[in-house]
Amino acid sequence: MSGRPSGKVYVGELGDNANKAELEELFEKFGKIREVWIARNPPGFGFVFFEDPRDAEEAVRDLDDTSLHGRRLKVEHAKARDPGPGGRGGGRRYDDRRGGGYGGGDRDRYGGDRYGDRGGDRYGGRRGGDEDYSRRR
C-alpha cells in the first residue's frame, strides 16, 4: 500500500446468513459503493469497496460493533495483502514449499535434490540401469 487511505472495508462476524443486499443497505448511507463481496467458503466475512476512502473511514467509525442478525459486526479498514513471491497477492500455492502440488516433488526444503547429489533415484540406483555394468559385458 502506498500510504494512501483505501476505500476497502473488512466486515467480519457476518455469520452464514448475510447477503449482499443487506450489506449494501447498511453501508450505502456512508457513500457510493463500488462493490460488495461476501465470502461463502468459509463464510462469515466480506468486503465493501467505497469509491471515496473518506466514506470508508466514516463507515468504519460508525458501524464497528453494530449488530446484524444478532451478531456484533467487526468493521475495520482492510489490510493490504502481502504481495508474496513474484509481487502478486496470495503468496504460496498449494504446498509448493515441500515441492508437492503444482510441480516439483523430489526436492528437500532447501530446494536441493531430496535424495542427495548421488545421481540416483530414491532407491539409490540409476535410472535406466548401471552404465558401468553394461559397458563391461
Side-chain angles (χ1 to χ4, degrees):
M1 208 158 156
S2 63
R4 180 171 67 107
S6 167
K8 185 177 178 182
V9 174
Y10 166 83
V11 185
E13 305 299 326
L14 286 174
D16 298 344
N17 300 324
N19 62 54
K20 283 177 73 168
E22 290 173 325
L23 283 186
E24 285 171 352
E25 184 178 332
L26 186 63
F27 281 86
E28 70 186 358
K29 59 186 160 202
F30 296 99
K32 185 153 175 65
I33 295 173
R34 277 188 303 151
E35 181 183 355
V36 172
W37 180 85
I38 297 178
R40 293 291 172 218
N41 189 16
F45 71 97
F47 293 97
V48 177
F49 299 84
F50 284 94
E51 298 243 339
D52 188 336
R54 293 173 295 188
D55 298 334
E57 179 73 39
E58 188 178 348
V60 167
R61 188 175 51 247
D62 291 357
L63 291 179
D64 188 34
D65 207 31
T66 58
S67 183
L68 180 67
H69 295 295
R71 299 178 65 101
R72 291 288 200 207
L73 295 180
K74 182 177 184 176
V75 180
E76 58 189 37
H77 291 285
K79 294 177 176 67
R81 286 181 72 167
D82 179 19
R88 295 182 59 179
R92 293 186 168 137
R93 286 202 183 132
Y94 172 78
D95 216 12
D96 66 283
R97 72 179 179 272
R98 285 189 280 159
Y102 294 121
D106 290 341
R107 299 258 175 231
D108 65 15
R109 67 180 175 187
Y110 304 107
D113 181 9
R114 180 171 163 186
Y115 304 108
D117 287 331
R118 60 183 183 251
D121 61 12
R122 74 177 82 192
Y123 304 107
R126 295 187 181 273
R127 294 174 196 203
D130 189 347
E131 295 170 26
D132 291 332
Y133 180 76
S134 61
R135 281 191 218 141
R136 282 187 258 147
R137 296 182 112 205

